[in-house]
Amino acid sequence: TMVEMRSLLARRVREKILTPEKSEALKDDFLIHADKEYLVVLLDTNVLTIASKLLDQHILRALDAIQLACALYARDLLDEPLTFLSADNNLLLAAAAEGFATGNPNNHP
């Protein structure tokens, strides 16, 4: 998720939708939010194995499969329902198929 957010912000700067200063402020805000609200899952062999299986089951890019695999791992570790957020419709479909409630931030102005 951290890499995906940095990628999004960098792309928006290249597209001149965001200034570098606004991008930096959004990155800082996101990191504060993530530190309080996210469980960081280490990328290890188990997570990569789950991600590989997800690629066989869903239409996903590699990083999206890793992100979903981390969410699956976190859900099992916490043993509670989680909401999976993404602006990528294929990733949201895969997350829903894996039993997550989903949300698209683009649907919230």
Side-chain angles (χ1 to χ4, degrees), residues 49-60:
T49 299
I50 295 167
S52 295
K53 291 177 183 176
L54 290 169
L55 289 169
D56 292 333
Q57 299 167 355
H58 306 288
I59 300 170
L60 294 171

Side-chain angles (χ1 to χ4, degrees), residues 25-102:
L26 288 169
K27 180 193 68 140
D28 291 345
D29 288 348
F30 175 75
L31 290 174
I32 291 167
H33 171 76
D35 187 51
K36 293 177 184 176
E37 300 292 331
Y38 288 29
L39 170 68
V40 174
V41 174
L42 298 179
L43 190 56
D44 64 12
T45 304
N46 293 328
V47 171
L48 292 175
T49 299
I50 295 167
S52 295
K53 291 177 183 176
L54 290 169
L55 289 169
D56 292 333
Q57 299 167 355
H58 306 288
I59 300 170
L60 294 171
R61 294 174 298 212
L63 282 178
D64 293 339
I66 292 170
Q67 187 174 359
L68 182 53
C70 289
L72 287 165
Y73 182 87
R75 182 179 66 188
D76 291 346
L77 183 67
L78 296 171
D79 194 31
E80 63 182 65
L82 302 175
T83 300
F84 191 94
L85 302 176
S86 176
D88 182 298
N89 288 329
N90 285 334
L91 183 51
L92 289 173
L93 287 171
E98 295 296 328
F100 284 98
T102 62

